[in-house]
PDB file of all heavy atoms in Angstrom:
ATOM      1  N   GLY F  10      24.294 -40.513  -5.721  1.00 96.00           N
ATOM      2  CA  GLY F  10      24.307 -40.193  -4.300  1.00 96.00           C
ATOM      3  C   GLY F  10      25.672 -39.929  -3.699  1.00 96.00           C
ATOM      4  O   GLY F  10      25.822 -39.927  -2.473  1.00 96.00           O
ATOM      5  N   PHE F  11      26.696 -39.689  -4.530  1.00 97.00           N
ATOM      6  CA  PHE F  11      28.030 -39.389  -4.022  1.00 97.00           C
ATOM      7  C   PHE F  11      28.292 -37.886  -4.081  1.00 97.00           C
ATOM      8  O   PHE F  11      27.878 -37.211  -5.021  1.00 97.00           O
ATOM      9  CB  PHE F  11      29.104 -40.081  -4.872  1.00 97.00           C
ATOM     10  CG  PHE F  11      29.248 -41.556  -4.644  1.00 97.00           C
ATOM     11  CD1 PHE F  11      28.457 -42.461  -5.339  1.00 97.00           C
ATOM     12  CD2 PHE F  11      30.178 -42.041  -3.740  1.00 97.00           C
ATOM     13  CE1 PHE F  11      28.585 -43.826  -5.141  1.00 97.00           C
ATOM     14  CE2 PHE F  11      30.327 -43.399  -3.539  1.00 97.00           C
ATOM     15  CZ  PHE F  11      29.524 -44.295  -4.244  1.00 97.00           C
ATOM     16  N   LYS F  12      29.022 -37.368  -3.087  1.00 96.00           N
ATOM     17  CA  LYS F  12      29.678 -36.074  -3.240  1.00 96.00           C
ATOM     18  C   LYS F  12      30.990 -36.334  -3.976  1.00 96.00           C
ATOM     19  O   LYS F  12      31.598 -37.399  -3.817  1.00 96.00           O
ATOM     20  CB  LYS F  12      29.978 -35.451  -1.868  1.00 96.00           C
ATOM     21  CG  LYS F  12      28.727 -35.059  -1.078  1.00 96.00           C
ATOM     22  CD  LYS F  12      28.087 -33.800  -1.620  1.00 96.00           C
ATOM     23  CE  LYS F  12      26.856 -33.401  -0.816  1.00 96.00           C
ATOM     24  NZ  LYS F  12      27.177 -32.940   0.549  1.00 96.00           N
ATOM     25  N   GLY F  13      31.451 -35.390  -4.780  1.00 96.00           N
ATOM     26  CA  GLY F  13      32.635 -35.615  -5.597  1.00 96.00           C
ATOM     27  C   GLY F  13      33.777 -34.664  -5.309  1.00 96.00           C
ATOM     28  O   GLY F  13      33.573 -33.458  -5.103  1.00 96.00           O
ATOM     29  N   LEU F  14      35.005 -35.206  -5.262  1.00 97.00           N
ATOM     30  CA  LEU F  14      36.228 -34.410  -5.176  1.00 97.00           C
ATOM     31  C   LEU F  14      37.019 -34.660  -6.449  1.00 97.00           C
ATOM     32  O   LEU F  14      37.058 -35.788  -6.943  1.00 97.00           O
ATOM     33  CB  LEU F  14      37.068 -34.822  -3.968  1.00 97.00           C
ATOM     34  CG  LEU F  14      36.384 -34.860  -2.606  1.00 97.00           C
ATOM     35  CD1 LEU F  14      37.330 -35.433  -1.561  1.00 97.00           C
ATOM     36  CD2 LEU F  14      35.936 -33.462  -2.206  1.00 97.00           C
ATOM     37  N   ILE F  15      37.679 -33.621  -6.988  1.00 97.00           N
ATOM     38  CA  ILE F  15      38.421 -33.764  -8.232  1.00 97.00           C
ATOM     39  C   ILE F  15      39.879 -33.381  -8.026  1.00 97.00           C
ATOM     40  O   ILE F  15      40.191 -32.322  -7.480  1.00 97.00           O
ATOM     41  CB  ILE F  15      37.799 -32.903  -9.356  1.00 97.00           C
ATOM     42  CG1 ILE F  15      36.397 -33.407  -9.690  1.00 97.00           C
ATOM     43  CG2 ILE F  15      38.679 -32.931 -10.601  1.00 97.00           C
ATOM     44  CD1 ILE F  15      35.662 -32.569 -10.727  1.00 97.00           C
ATOM     45  N   ALA F  16      40.782 -34.264  -8.472  1.00 96.00           N
ATOM     46  CA  ALA F  16      42.223 -33.976  -8.506  1.00 96.00           C
ATOM     47  C   ALA F  16      42.679 -34.142  -9.954  1.00 96.00           C
ATOM     48  O   ALA F  16      42.368 -35.146 -10.597  1.00 96.00           O
ATOM     49  CB  ALA F  16      42.989 -34.939  -7.604  1.00 96.00           C
ATOM     50  N   VAL F  17      43.411 -33.160 -10.476  1.00 95.00           N
ATOM     51  CA  VAL F  17      43.830 -33.206 -11.879  1.00 95.00           C
ATOM     52  C   VAL F  17      45.268 -33.711 -12.047  1.00 95.00           C
ATOM     53  O   VAL F  17      45.762 -33.815 -13.166  1.00 95.00           O
ATOM     54  CB  VAL F  17      43.674 -31.818 -12.551  1.00 95.00           C
ATOM     55  CG1 VAL F  17      42.211 -31.423 -12.605  1.00 95.00           C
ATOM     56  CG2 VAL F  17      44.505 -30.759 -11.822  1.00 95.00           C
ATOM     57  N   ARG F  18      45.937 -34.008 -10.912  1.00 94.00           N
ATOM     58  CA  ARG F  18      47.293 -34.538 -10.961  1.00 94.00           C
ATOM     59  C   ARG F  18      47.420 -35.696  -9.968  1.00 94.00           C
ATOM     60  O   ARG F  18      46.689 -35.775  -8.993  1.00 94.00           O
ATOM     61  CB  ARG F  18      48.313 -33.437 -10.630  1.00 94.00           C
ATOM     62  CG  ARG F  18      48.211 -32.228 -11.557  1.00 94.00           C
ATOM     63  CD  ARG F  18      49.145 -31.110 -11.129  1.00 94.00           C
ATOM     64  NE  ARG F  18      50.536 -31.456 -11.365  1.00 94.00           N
ATOM     65  CZ  ARG F  18      51.127 -31.425 -12.562  1.00 94.00           C
ATOM     66  NH1 ARG F  18      50.428 -31.073 -13.627  1.00 94.00           N
ATOM     67  NH2 ARG F  18      52.383 -31.740 -12.710  1.00 94.00           N
ATOM     68  N   GLY F  19      48.365 -36.597 -10.252  1.00 94.00           N
ATOM     69  CA  GLY F  19      48.517 -37.785  -9.435  1.00 94.00           C
ATOM     70  C   GLY F  19      48.898 -37.492  -7.997  1.00 94.00           C
ATOM     71  O   GLY F  19      48.307 -38.038  -7.055  1.00 94.00           O
ATOM     72  N   GLU F  20      49.906 -36.628  -7.792  1.00 93.00           N
ATOM     73  CA  GLU F  20      50.347 -36.307  -6.436  1.00 93.00           C
ATOM     74  C   GLU F  20      49.230 -35.625  -5.654  1.00 93.00           C
ATOM     75  O   GLU F  20      49.044 -35.877  -4.461  1.00 93.00           O
ATOM     76  CB  GLU F  20      51.592 -35.418  -6.473  1.00 93.00           C
ATOM     77  CG  GLU F  20      52.866 -36.126  -6.912  1.00 93.00           C
ATOM     78  CD  GLU F  20      53.334 -37.171  -5.896  1.00 93.00           C
ATOM     79  OE1 GLU F  20      52.880 -37.129  -4.735  1.00 93.00           O
ATOM     80  OE2 GLU F  20      54.136 -38.035  -6.278  1.00 93.00           O
ATOM     81  N   GLN F  21      48.492 -34.759  -6.333  1.00 95.00           N
ATOM     82  CA  GLN F  21      47.356 -34.099  -5.688  1.00 95.00           C
ATOM     83  C   GLN F  21      46.314 -35.142  -5.273  1.00 95.00           C
ATOM     84  O   GLN F  21      45.750 -35.079  -4.179  1.00 95.00           O
ATOM     85  CB  GLN F  21      46.737 -33.090  -6.664  1.00 95.00           C
ATOM     86  CG  GLN F  21      45.546 -32.325  -6.099  1.00 95.00           C
ATOM     87  CD  GLN F  21      44.784 -31.567  -7.168  1.00 95.00           C
ATOM     88  OE1 GLN F  21      44.887 -31.877  -8.359  1.00 95.00           O
ATOM     89  NE2 GLN F  21      44.019 -30.574  -6.763  1.00 95.00           N
ATOM     90  N   GLY F  22      46.087 -36.134  -6.138  1.00 96.00           N
ATOM     91  CA  GLY F  22      45.127 -37.185  -5.838  1.00 96.00           C
ATOM     92  C   GLY F  22      45.534 -38.015  -4.631  1.00 96.00           C
ATOM     93  O   GLY F  22      44.709 -38.336  -3.767  1.00 96.00           O
ATOM     94  N   LEU F  23      46.820 -38.361  -4.547  1.00 96.00           N
ATOM     95  CA  LEU F  23      47.318 -39.121  -3.400  1.00 96.00           C
ATOM     96  C   LEU F  23      47.135 -38.337  -2.110  1.00 96.00           C
ATOM     97  O   LEU F  23      46.718 -38.891  -1.084  1.00 96.00           O
ATOM     98  CB  LEU F  23      48.797 -39.463  -3.609  1.00 96.00           C
ATOM     99  CG  LEU F  23      49.101 -40.578  -4.613  1.00 96.00           C
ATOM    100  CD1 LEU F  23      50.580 -40.571  -4.980  1.00 96.00           C
ATOM    101  CD2 LEU F  23      48.710 -41.937  -4.034  1.00 96.00           C
ATOM    102  N   ASP F  24      47.450 -37.044  -2.158  1.00 95.00           N
ATOM    103  CA  ASP F  24      47.304 -36.198  -0.974  1.00 95.00           C
ATOM    104  C   ASP F  24      45.843 -36.116  -0.538  1.00 95.00           C
ATOM    105  O   ASP F  24      45.522 -36.230   0.653  1.00 95.00           O
ATOM    106  CB  ASP F  24      47.853 -34.802  -1.264  1.00 95.00           C
ATOM    107  CG  ASP F  24      47.696 -33.858  -0.084  1.00 95.00           C
ATOM    108  OD1 ASP F  24      48.282 -34.136   0.979  1.00 95.00           O
ATOM    109  OD2 ASP F  24      46.975 -32.852  -0.213  1.00 95.00           O
ATOM    110  N   MET F  25      44.941 -35.955  -1.508  1.00 96.00           N
ATOM    111  CA  MET F  25      43.515 -35.847  -1.182  1.00 96.00           C
ATOM    112  C   MET F  25      42.962 -37.171  -0.669  1.00 96.00           C
ATOM    113  O   MET F  25      42.092 -37.199   0.204  1.00 96.00           O
ATOM    114  CB  MET F  25      42.737 -35.365  -2.411  1.00 96.00           C
ATOM    115  CG  MET F  25      43.015 -33.918  -2.767  1.00 96.00           C
ATOM    116  SD  MET F  25      42.204 -33.376  -4.293  1.00 96.00           S
ATOM    117  CE  MET F  25      40.491 -33.361  -3.776  1.00 96.00           C
ATOM    118  N   ALA F  26      43.476 -38.292  -1.190  1.00 96.00           N
ATOM    119  CA  ALA F  26      43.021 -39.603  -0.703  1.00 96.00           C
ATOM    120  C   ALA F  26      43.362 -39.776   0.769  1.00 96.00           C
ATOM    121  O   ALA F  26      42.564 -40.313   1.551  1.00 96.00           O
ATOM    122  CB  ALA F  26      43.652 -40.714  -1.534  1.00 96.00           C
ATOM    123  N   ARG F  27      44.554 -39.303   1.162  1.00 94.00           N
ATOM    124  CA  ARG F  27      44.957 -39.421   2.570  1.00 94.00           C
ATOM    125  C   ARG F  27      44.195 -38.437   3.458  1.00 94.00           C
ATOM    126  O   ARG F  27      43.819 -38.755   4.580  1.00 94.00           O
ATOM    127  CB  ARG F  27      46.467 -39.177   2.697  1.00 94.00           C
ATOM    128  CG  ARG F  27      47.316 -40.243   2.005  1.00 94.00           C
ATOM    129  CD  ARG F  27      48.784 -40.053   2.342  1.00 94.00           C
ATOM    130  NE  ARG F  27      49.636 -40.894   1.521  1.00 94.00           N
ATOM    131  CZ  ARG F  27      50.325 -40.466   0.469  1.00 94.00           C
ATOM    132  NH1 ARG F  27      50.269 -39.191   0.119  1.00 94.00           N
ATOM    133  NH2 ARG F  27      51.080 -41.297  -0.228  1.00 94.00           N
ATOM    134  N   ARG F  28      43.985 -37.222   2.950  1.00 93.00           N
ATOM    135  CA  ARG F  28      43.367 -36.180   3.774  1.00 93.00           C
ATOM    136  C   ARG F  28      41.861 -36.375   3.945  1.00 93.00           C
ATOM    137  O   ARG F  28      41.312 -36.182   5.023  1.00 93.00           O
ATOM    138  CB  ARG F  28      43.626 -34.794   3.163  1.00 93.00           C
ATOM    139  CG  ARG F  28      45.020 -34.251   3.431  1.00 93.00           C
ATOM    140  CD  ARG F  28      45.109 -32.771   3.136  1.00 93.00           C
ATOM    141  NE  ARG F  28      44.945 -32.487   1.716  1.00 93.00           N
ATOM    142  CZ  ARG F  28      44.083 -31.593   1.237  1.00 93.00           C
ATOM    143  NH1 ARG F  28      43.304 -30.920   2.056  1.00 93.00           N
ATOM    144  NH2 ARG F  28      43.998 -31.373  -0.063  1.00 93.00           N
ATOM    145  N   PHE F  29      41.181 -36.758   2.857  1.00 94.00           N
ATOM    146  CA  PHE F  29      39.723 -36.818   2.894  1.00 94.00           C
ATOM    147  C   PHE F  29      39.174 -38.222   3.147  1.00 94.00           C
ATOM    148  O   PHE F  29      37.990 -38.373   3.430  1.00 94.00           O
ATOM    149  CB  PHE F  29      39.140 -36.282   1.570  1.00 94.00           C
ATOM    150  CG  PHE F  29      39.324 -34.807   1.380  1.00 94.00           C
ATOM    151  CD1 PHE F  29      40.348 -34.319   0.580  1.00 94.00           C
ATOM    152  CD2 PHE F  29      38.477 -33.901   2.005  1.00 94.00           C
ATOM    153  CE1 PHE F  29      40.523 -32.951   0.399  1.00 94.00           C
ATOM    154  CE2 PHE F  29      38.653 -32.536   1.821  1.00 94.00           C
ATOM    155  CZ  PHE F  29      39.672 -32.057   1.021  1.00 94.00           C
ATOM    156  N   SER F  30      40.018 -39.270   3.002  1.00 94.00           N
ATOM    157  CA  SER F  30      39.561 -40.662   3.171  1.00 94.00           C
ATOM    158  C   SER F  30      38.246 -40.903   2.434  1.00 94.00           C
ATOM    159  O   SER F  30      37.212 -41.222   3.054  1.00 94.00           O
ATOM    160  CB  SER F  30      39.390 -41.000   4.655  1.00 94.00           C
ATOM    161  OG  SER F  30      40.617 -40.921   5.325  1.00 94.00           O
ATOM    162  N   PRO F  31      38.229 -40.756   1.106  1.00 97.00           N
ATOM    163  CA  PRO F  31      36.984 -40.946   0.356  1.00 97.00           C
ATOM    164  C   PRO F  31      36.516 -42.395   0.425  1.00 97.00           C
ATOM    165  O   PRO F  31      37.294 -43.300   0.726  1.00 97.00           O
ATOM    166  CB  PRO F  31      37.382 -40.564  -1.074  1.00 97.00           C
ATOM    167  CG  PRO F  31      38.847 -40.857  -1.142  1.00 97.00           C
ATOM    168  CD  PRO F  31      39.379 -40.503   0.223  1.00 97.00           C
ATOM    169  N   ASN F  32      35.241 -42.614   0.129  1.00 97.00           N
ATOM    170  CA  ASN F  32      34.697 -43.970   0.134  1.00 97.00           C
ATOM    171  C   ASN F  32      35.147 -44.768  -1.080  1.00 97.00           C
ATOM    172  O   ASN F  32      35.245 -46.003  -1.027  1.00 97.00           O
ATOM    173  CB  ASN F  32      33.165 -43.920   0.165  1.00 97.00           C
ATOM    174  CG  ASN F  32      32.648 -43.218   1.402  1.00 97.00           C
ATOM    175  OD1 ASN F  32      32.373 -42.022   1.361  1.00 97.00           O
ATOM    176  ND2 ASN F  32      32.526 -43.932   2.502  1.00 97.00           N
ATOM    177  N   ALA F  33      35.417 -44.075  -2.188  1.00 97.00           N
ATOM    178  CA  ALA F  33      35.845 -44.749  -3.418  1.00 97.00           C
ATOM    179  C   ALA F  33      36.609 -43.753  -4.281  1.00 97.00           C
ATOM    180  O   ALA F  33      36.554 -42.537  -4.067  1.00 97.00           O
ATOM    181  CB  ALA F  33      34.646 -45.310  -4.166  1.00 97.00           C
ATOM    182  N   ILE F  34      37.326 -44.293  -5.286  1.00 98.00           N
ATOM    183  CA  ILE F  34      38.170 -43.469  -6.158  1.00 98.00           C
ATOM    184  C   ILE F  34      37.985 -43.905  -7.603  1.00 98.00           C
ATOM    185  O   ILE F  34      37.914 -45.107  -7.897  1.00 98.00           O
ATOM    186  CB  ILE F  34      39.657 -43.602  -5.763  1.00 98.00           C
ATOM    187  CG1 ILE F  34      39.903 -43.038  -4.362  1.00 98.00           C
ATOM    188  CG2 ILE F  34      40.575 -42.914  -6.776  1.00 98.00           C
ATOM    189  CD1 ILE F  34      41.274 -43.333  -3.790  1.00 98.00           C
ATOM    190  N   VAL F  35      37.916 -42.929  -8.511  1.00 98.00           N
ATOM    191  CA  VAL F  35      38.000 -43.193  -9.951  1.00 98.00           C
ATOM    192  C   VAL F  35      39.341 -42.651 -10.417  1.00 98.00           C
ATOM    193  O   VAL F  35      39.667 -41.479 -10.183  1.00 98.00           O
ATOM    194  CB  VAL F  35      36.849 -42.525 -10.735  1.00 98.00           C
ATOM    195  CG1 VAL F  35      37.067 -42.685 -12.233  1.00 98.00           C
ATOM    196  CG2 VAL F  35      35.512 -43.133 -10.336  1.00 98.00           C
ATOM    197  N   LEU F  36      40.154 -43.496 -11.068  1.00 98.00           N
ATOM    198  CA  LEU F  36      41.540 -43.139 -11.391  1.00 98.00           C
ATOM    199  C   LEU F  36      41.823 -43.267 -12.877  1.00 98.00           C
ATOM    200  O   LEU F  36      41.609 -44.323 -13.483  1.00 98.00           O
ATOM    201  CB  LEU F  36      42.493 -44.062 -10.614  1.00 98.00           C
ATOM    202  CG  LEU F  36      43.990 -43.982 -10.950  1.00 98.00           C
ATOM    203  CD1 LEU F  36      44.561 -42.623 -10.548  1.00 98.00           C
ATOM    204  CD2 LEU F  36      44.750 -45.112 -10.256  1.00 98.00           C
TER     205      LEU F  36
END
């Protein structure tokens, strides 16, 4: 039941975490 966002690099992931405020993260 989750929508998914994918980041293939660490800096990209940090930026997306701040911009999209996801409910959870797999790292």
Side-chain angles (χ1 to χ4, degrees):
F11 285 87
K12 293 285 181 69
L14 308 174
I15 295 176
V17 295
R18 303 175 70 77
E20 288 293 343
Q21 181 192 20
L23 285 166
D24 178 62
M25 290 175 70
R27 295 188 190 102
R28 282 195 294 129
F29 291 100
S30 297
N32 299 95
I34 295 170
V35 173
L36 172 66

